[in-house]
Amino acid sequence: MPTTARTVLFHEIGGPDVLRIEDVTVPAPGPGQVAVRVEALGLNRAEALFRSGTYYYQPALPASRLGYEASGVVEAIGEGVTELAVGDPVTTGPGIEMSAQGVYAERVVLPESAVLPRPASVDAVTGAASWLTYTTAYGGLLETAGLQPGDHVLITGASSGVGTAAIQVARRIGAIPLVTTRTEAKRQGLLDAGAAEVIVSGGDAETVAKEVGRLTGGRGAEVIFDAIGGPGFRPLSEALAEGGTVLVYGWLDRRPAEIPWNWPFTIHTYANMTLTATPGGRRRSTAFLNAGLADGGFRPVVAEVFDGLDRIQDAHRLMESNRHTGKIVVRI
């Protein structure tokens, strides 16, 4: 196994231009660790926030690493690793602390708990585009919000990787995904991803609530899966059926949000690492994801594939432009 790997680092917070590629020593895996040759990276909004110093924890500078999600092949295993073997196709994600363990690199060494099996039929790009999005949708919609067959679910910010995965998760169990987007430009892509109805909001939550009422015959959605928060949260929640559930998993609008008055209802906040930090949560979410990938029910929407770590700045620029639908992937 090579002793160095080209790795993305940053030495100060800022925009995409702070990202640098440097040679970093790669140790042999110790007890409970797995060495992975990375084939593709899946980019997430959290990484742009982390790089710019606005994530919920701060990077350790200088020489912070970056990235949660990669797919690759096991190159070596440390003592005590029992669930994986050399040559296994894998993905990464659970429990990664980005400063020290970020996966934007040609090779990484991670705890066994951060490395998950990938079906042999699933290619590296598909694998890199899948783990965080589908496990977030699974954990939020099914384990936390209790979405049921026949329920209407309103998915905000639906053109994101998690949003497009949530559409497919809802479809898989027989729920009905109603989705929002700010402009007409992304309507067809969301319909292609499986949305039952696309509501072009223009950023107006009251318009969304009225349209959901019309589409559900006045009943409202049993679940709202919200990535935005902010002042629109209260009027948006008027789209909720009586006794329904709002699940907030993101804060794209960081301004304060008011609690709605249309009681009774339930509000949950959701952080995916809470589910995937536990062995049971990893087992359930991985089994659900891999079943959908293996039988073709889950088809991650990939906005663009960039070839090579040298394109990492360009990939981050696209992510921050908000022009894309689905995941951005960098192929190593």
Side-chain angles (χ1 to χ4, degrees), residues 1 11 32 36 40 47 55 60 75 133 198 218-219 238 256 279:
M1 186 177 108
H11 302 283
V36 177
E47 290 139 31
Y55 200 40
E75 282 197 319
T133 55
V198 177
R219 188 178 70 252
E238 295 297 326

Side-chain angles (χ1 to χ4, degrees), residues 8-13 22 59-65 98-100:
V8 175
L9 302 175
F10 62 103
H11 302 283
E12 58 184 322
I13 62 173
E22 301 178 21
L61 300 173
S64 176
R65 300 177 68 116
M98 285 193 283
S99 283

Side-chain angles (χ1 to χ4, degrees), residues 68-106:
Y68 283 118
E69 196 170 13
S71 62
V73 175
V74 174
E75 282 197 319
I77 59 174
E79 181 182 352
V81 173
T82 59
E83 300 297 320
L84 297 167
V86 173
D88 284 354
V90 292
T91 58
T92 72
I96 287 175
E97 193 288 311
M98 285 193 283
S99 283
Q101 300 171 319
V103 298
Y104 285 13
E106 294 175 330

Side-chain angles (χ1 to χ4, degrees), residues 7-266:
T7 302
V8 175
L9 302 175
F10 62 103
H11 302 283
E12 58 184 322
I13 62 173
D17 58 325
V18 302
L19 300 177
R20 300 283 182 267
I21 299 172
E22 301 178 21
D23 288 329
V24 171
T25 299
V26 182
Q33 292 184 325
V34 178
V36 177
R37 174 173 55 81
V38 176
E39 297 177 318
L41 306 171
L43 272 62
N44 296 287
R45 183 74 57 179
E47 290 139 31
L49 297 175
F50 190 66
R51 185 207 68 224
S52 61
T54 56
Y55 200 40
Y56 77 93
Y57 68 95
Q58 290 294 303
L61 300 173
S64 176
R65 300 177 68 116
L66 190 60
Y68 283 118
E69 196 170 13
S71 62
V73 175
V74 174
E75 282 197 319
I77 59 174
E79 181 182 352
V81 173
T82 59
E83 300 297 320
L84 297 167
V86 173
D88 284 354
V90 292
T91 58
T92 72
I96 287 175
E97 193 288 311
M98 285 193 283
S99 283
Q101 300 171 319
V103 298
Y104 285 13
E106 294 175 330
R107 286 173 170 81
V108 293
V109 174
L110 295 169
E112 183 181 15
S113 59
V115 184
L116 304 168
R118 168 169 53 100
S121 60
V122 175
D123 65 88
V125 168
T126 300
S130 300
W131 178 78
L132 187 64
T133 55
Y134 286 96
T135 59
T136 299
Y138 163 80
L141 289 175
L142 304 190
E143 293 220 359
T144 307
L147 185 69
Q148 298 290 318
D151 285 353
H152 287 85
V153 54
L154 175 63
I155 301 167
T156 67
S159 61
S160 69
V162 173
T164 53
I167 292 170
Q168 295 177 25
V169 168
R171 284 289 193 187
R172 189 169 181 87
I173 69 157
I176 304 160
L178 313 176
V179 311
T180 74
T181 183
R182 294 178 67 90
T183 69
E184 281 284 345
K186 296 180 179 179
R187 178 193 290 274
Q188 190 57 51
L190 291 169
L191 291 171
D192 293 344
E197 300 283 351
V198 177
I199 302 168
V200 178
S201 69
D204 184 352
E206 292 183 2
T207 296
V208 173
K210 290 176 182 176
E211 186 64 4
V212 170
R214 184 186 71 80
L215 292 169
T216 60
R219 188 178 70 252
E222 283 75 19
V223 174
I224 297 176
F225 189 61
D226 183 41
I228 301 171
F233 182 72
R234 178 176 163 186
L236 179 75
S237 295
E238 295 297 326
L240 192 66
E242 183 176 349
T245 298
V246 181
L247 186 137
V248 183
Y249 74 93
W251 60 89
L252 293 177
D253 188 335
R254 299 173 69 91
R255 293 175 294 172
E258 290 187 7
I259 298 296
W261 295 346
N262 51 322
W263 301 350
F265 69 97
T266 300

